[in-house]
Amino acid sequence: MPAKLTGKQIFVNGLIAIVVAVIGNVLVRLILGALVTIPGDFPPMQLGAIAFFTAFYGVGATAVYWIINRVSSNPQRVWLVVVIIGFVLTALPDLALAANPSSAPFPGGTSQLWLLLLVFHLVAGIIYYLLIPRRR
């Protein structure tokens, strides 16, 4: 089994992953905006919100991996399980709001838009899964 990552390696990997995930999700949003009409009054699909929440969850993901790396004898396996559980838990509100868009705390969202938000969760989740534990 390879040596565990140091805290500094995890921190640097986390920063790199956050930058890559934010850029990736902004690009995805721009592509989706060219393919689908996205109303300006739907806050979750605005570039600022996408960048902020992608980075916010990246900080959390980095902290979680740091803990896993410290306490687990097999951090990569535990990380996979945590990333999958994290994706499911972050997808649940979007799925619930896709089923009933009128229950959202702000206007403008359709079932299609709530489901499209899952693409951002998937992009960020894959990037965080791959880059945070990366060895250089």
Side-chain angles (χ1 to χ4, degrees):
M1 175 170 34
K4 291 186 177 189
L5 296 175
T6 66
K8 181 179 178 183
Q9 288 172 311
I10 294 169
F11 177 78
V12 170
N13 287 353
L15 287 178
I16 292 168
I18 289 167
V19 169
V20 171
V22 168
I23 291 170
N25 271 344
V26 166
L27 289 173
V28 166
R29 168 53 180 85
L30 294 173
I31 292 167
L32 288 175
L35 300 174
V36 177
T37 302
I38 298 174
D41 63 346
F42 186 59
M45 288 290 254
Q46 303 311 310
L47 288 175
I50 290 166
F52 173 79
F53 284 105
T54 300
F56 179 77
Y57 284 109
V59 170
T62 302
V64 168
Y65 186 78
W66 179 80
I67 293 168
I68 290 168
N69 187 67
R70 288 187 52 99
V71 301
S72 174
S73 61
N74 190 348
Q76 197 57 30
R77 181 186 313 241
V78 174
W79 180 235
L80 175 60
V81 171
V82 168
V83 168
I84 291 169
I85 291 170
F87 174 77
V88 170
L89 291 177
T90 62
L92 289 176
D94 292 341
L95 292 171
L97 290 168
N100 185 9
S102 64
S103 67
F106 31 77
T110 63
S111 293
Q112 178 189 28
L113 289 174
W114 285 109
L115 291 174
L116 281 176
L117 283 173
L118 295 174
V119 174
F120 301 106
H121 295 255
L122 190 59
V123 168
I126 290 169
I127 290 169
Y128 293 145
Y129 172 74
L130 294 173
L131 295 186
I132 293 173
R134 183 168 82 72
R135 297 190 177 283
R136 285 176 277 205

